Amino acid sequence: MTLLDHRTKATMIGGIAIVLWALLALFTTEVSAIPPFQLVSLCFSVAAIFSFIWIARGGLAAFQALRQPVGAWGLGVGGLFGYHFFYFVALANAPAVDASLIAYLWPLFIVLFSALLPGERLRWYHFAGAVLGLCGAAVLVTKGHGFDFDPAYGPGYGAAMVCSILWSGYSVLNRRYRNVPVEAVCGFCAGAALLGFITHGLTEIWVMPDAGQWLAIIGLGLGPVGVAFFVWDYGTKHGDIQVLGVASYGAPLLSTILLIGFGKAEASPTVIAGCLLIVGGALLASIKMLRRKTVVA
């Protein structure tokens, strides 16, 4: 396999995370009564437990993957937990639509920050595709009704901005630790779960999930808050980070389609417009990769 083939494959593997994150809203509708930090801690616990079982298949020697530099641990745990922490702080201090839109600047920031990485260059089609995707996400999040930023919600807006910078920074800086095996993410999930339990204990009251909620929590821990972070780790380290950044706008697109399919949302011209903008942006940003695959074929 050539270097370009490996890069394309890694990009596609990273893209699995986007598909899994699209399931987040659908699963979360089933556990809306669970306090957010309790939910985060439980989901990351599920992810950590199952990934530790997966690693254990390789024997005790496989756990050497957890012996990583302090910087890798700080980036991994800080990225996973920090994103969720500031996202929930933002939702608690600003309207959900406004906070979500600001938080969803992270794909655009990934594209911009990636230009600082060795061997990466920001092309016009990367930037244009990211902007188109952001516009599409804005249409879907606001449902075409626009938004009105109120200075009174400044702390919430600030937290949402920190949230977007944290996740984009984590995704780009992850390339610095490309030699850290993906198995190390199970340790990062465990660290995020621990911080989640601490935050939950300090700010929330425990709510015992029922059987259906436990199933949803397990589903979240295995998919959007589990496998997704493992494949994203691999994709950001070895794939096309700019294409992944723009393609990330596909998460709200796929999420909306799933909600419509399960009867939890309605299709509308606004949704179609948002979908077209996101798809168009992703295709534009991926034009070089698509041309390369056409030539190879």
Side-chain angles (χ1 to χ4, degrees), residues 109-271:
F109 286 154
I110 284 179
V111 174
L112 296 178
F113 293 164
S114 65
L116 302 176
L117 290 171
E120 299 286 353
R121 293 184 63 184
L122 180 62
R123 306 285 187 176
W124 69 268
Y125 47 81
H126 292 134
F127 181 74
V131 172
L132 276 178
L134 176 61
C135 292
V139 170
L140 290 180
V141 171
T142 65
K143 297 180 175 59
H145 296 147
F147 45 85
D148 181 20
F149 292 124
D150 187 338
Y153 300 119
Y157 296 154
M161 182 60 73
V162 171
C163 164
S164 63
I165 293 175
L166 268 178
W167 188 249
S168 56
Y170 161 76
S171 300
V172 173
L173 290 174
N174 206 28
R175 185 69 64 92
R176 180 181 179 185
Y177 296 100
R178 64 189 312 159
N179 293 325
V180 173
V182 70
E183 288 84 356
V185 176
C186 70
F188 304 157
C189 288
L194 177 60
L195 291 177
F197 277 119
I198 292 173
T199 307
H200 164 69
L202 294 174
T203 62
E204 300 171 339
I205 297 176
W206 176 269
V207 173
M208 179 58 68
D210 58 28
Q213 290 170 332
W214 275 118
L215 287 176
I217 289 169
I218 293 173
L220 284 167
L222 291 178
V225 191
V227 172
F229 292 119
F230 286 82
V231 293
W232 185 253
D233 178 82
Y234 186 81
T236 53
K237 285 176 179 174
H238 306 288
D240 190 322
I241 186 71
Q242 292 154 337
V243 170
L244 282 173
V246 177
S248 297
Y249 284 118
L253 163 64
L254 295 174
S255 178
T256 301
I257 292 174
L258 284 171
L259 289 173
I260 291 173
F262 282 87
K264 296 182 182 295
E266 295 182 2
S268 68
T270 299
V271 170

Side-chain angles (χ1 to χ4, degrees), residues 23-33 213 216 220 259 264:
L23 297 169
L24 192 60
L26 186 63
F27 276 112
T28 303
T29 59
E30 304 300 324
V31 288
S32 57
Q213 290 170 332
L220 284 167
L259 289 173
K264 296 182 182 295

